[in-house]
């Protein structure tokens, strides 16, 4: 049974509100319902939201195991703070910005294949180019929001499915490295130790058990609860130190251009191209909410508002040093399960995220999670990204033409990512783009799909 079927069979709101009220984004069901459902939305996205910041910090060299965790804590705090602010842009809106729908925003996995090469081994100094690129890319994303619907014909399931697949494939190695002890342990006897895999395994199996056999909030927050189970075992093993929590302040005020300002052509181009992909994802989420939960087509204002909020949220976050934001599809699925479409519920969840983002002790507590425990959660999350891609690709008609397009794009992009030295003689901007995995896959697939005769597939985004 699909989530939508489950809602139709036994609406969770039955006896509390009418079906018309449940489908109304402007209806407020009261704090007794709104607060627990709002917190449930936060629990569903909490781990996914903070993970990109931890991965980028680790790639740069100031992540887990670094002598000074303050910059990592800052990134984690901003992930929560600006996820909340970007969500408020969606649910409340400012003028044409925001869909006024229950869309939860969060730090995007999609940008990781672009961000990691930009900062790899450069320390905190590498963040200036990343955040400046995200700022300019976010502004371009905002402008793109008014045109993206006109070019969605170029993005059928074979293209979007391949892009999502490459995002998952590009990141899966990170989960295994974390689960085995993290990059600092590589080359030492500690890497791949049995105790490391024990912690990661506890997270994975707890998450699977709750996902399959639990109900309600226990299933929705399965990844978070899996991390808590692994954390509890790590405490018993003496692997947790709370020194960073004790030294962290209670209140944080984010500073504009915390990491500085540095123009980088690879960063700007990378964020611009990935912003286009992010815009398409957000439009898909809007269409899913409107058609699946409200039983109506999405309006042009909602589509433009959603994608413009993506761009503004990303640009605003980048000003203070945070990662790009996009809508979270898992929360769209949660709306289908609860059957309640009130945007005010998500607003309450967003306010909770903002409050958490202003308290550095919360970020410091997150940094005490052993990297092997985080690795178990990352293995599950990135595996689900790959699974989502296969679901999208299931809608492709696998003719010889489509198989060749998919095969060439996959082979070239994955091969260049695995062997970046193959383009060592090219200019730096081209090397960064070609070895990111996602960007070459998207560009090759789009071009081949447009120029090779026989294109008959409908766009993944139906007209509203």
């Amino acid at each position: 049974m699909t989530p939508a079927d489950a809602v139709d069979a036994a609406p969770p709101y039955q006896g509390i509100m009418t079906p018309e009220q449940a489908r109304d984004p402007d209806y407020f069901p009261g704090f007794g319902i709104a607060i627990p459902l709002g917190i449930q939305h936060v629990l569903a996205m909490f781990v996914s939201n903070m993970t990109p910041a931890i991965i980028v910090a680790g790639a740069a060299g100031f992540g887990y195991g670094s002598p000074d965790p303050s910059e990592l804590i800052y990134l984690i705090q901003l992930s929560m703070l600006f996820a909340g602010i970007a969500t408020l842009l969606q649910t409340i809106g400012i003028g044409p910005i925001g869909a006024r729908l229950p869309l939860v925003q969060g730090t995007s996995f999609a940008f990781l294949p672009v961000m990691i090469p930009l900062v790899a081994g450069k320390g905190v100094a590498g963040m200036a180019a990343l955040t400046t690129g995200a700022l300019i890319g976010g502004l371009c994303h905002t402008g793109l929001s008014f045109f993206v619907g006109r070019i969605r014909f170029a993005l059928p399931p074979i293209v979007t499915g391949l892009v999502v697949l490459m995002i998952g494939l590009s990141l899966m190695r990170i989960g295994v490295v974390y689960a085995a002890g993290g990059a600092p342990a590589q080359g030492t006897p500690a890497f791949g130790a049995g105790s490391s895999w024990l912690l990661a395994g506890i997270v994975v199996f707890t998450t699977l058990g709750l996902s399959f056999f639990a109900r309600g909030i226990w299933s929705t927050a399965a990844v978070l609860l899996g991390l808590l189970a692994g954390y509890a075992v790590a405490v018993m093993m003496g692997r947790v130190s709370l020194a960073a929590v004790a030294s962290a302040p209670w209140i944080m005020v984010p500073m504009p251009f915390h990491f500085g300002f540095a123009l980088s052509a690879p960063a700007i181009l990378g964020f611009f191209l990935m912003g286009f992909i992010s815009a398409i994802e957000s439009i898909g989420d809007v269409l899913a909410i409107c058609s699946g939960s409200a039983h109506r087509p999405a309006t042009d204002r909602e589509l433009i508002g959603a994608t413009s909020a993506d761009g503004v949220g990303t640009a605003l976050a980048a000003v203070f040093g945070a990662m790009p934001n996009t809508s979270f599809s898992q929360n769209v699925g949660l709306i289908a399960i609860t059957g309640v479409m009130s945007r005010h519920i998500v607003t309450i969840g967003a306010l909770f995220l903002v409050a958490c983002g202003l308290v550095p002790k919360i970020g410091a507590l997150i940094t005490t999670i052993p990297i092997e425990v985080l690795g178990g959660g990352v293995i599950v999350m990135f595996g689900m990204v790959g699974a989502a891609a296969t679901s999208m690709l299931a809608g492709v008609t696998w003719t010889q033409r489509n198989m060749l397009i998919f095969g060439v794009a996959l082979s070239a992009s994955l091969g260049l990512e695995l062997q970046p030295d193959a383009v060592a003689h090219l200019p730096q901007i081209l090397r960064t783009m070609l070895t990111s995995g996602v960007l070459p896959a998207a560009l090759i697939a789009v071009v081949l799909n447009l120029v090779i005769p026989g294109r008959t597939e409908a766009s993944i985004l139906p007209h509203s």
Side-chain angles (χ1 to χ4, degrees), residues 438-461:
V438 176
L439 291 179
L443 292 174
I444 293 171
V446 166
V447 171
L448 290 180
N449 184 61
L450 291 176
V451 302
I452 296 178
R455 176 166 58 93
T456 57
E457 290 183 67
S459 169
I460 192 171
L461 299 176

Side-chain angles (χ1 to χ4, degrees), residues 29-58:
F31 287 104
I33 296 174
I35 290 176
L37 288 184
I39 293 175
Q40 182 173 245
H41 272 289
V42 173
L43 293 178
M45 57 79 72
F46 192 80
V47 178
S48 299
N49 178 59
M50 71 180 184
T51 301
I54 295 173
I55 291 173
V56 168

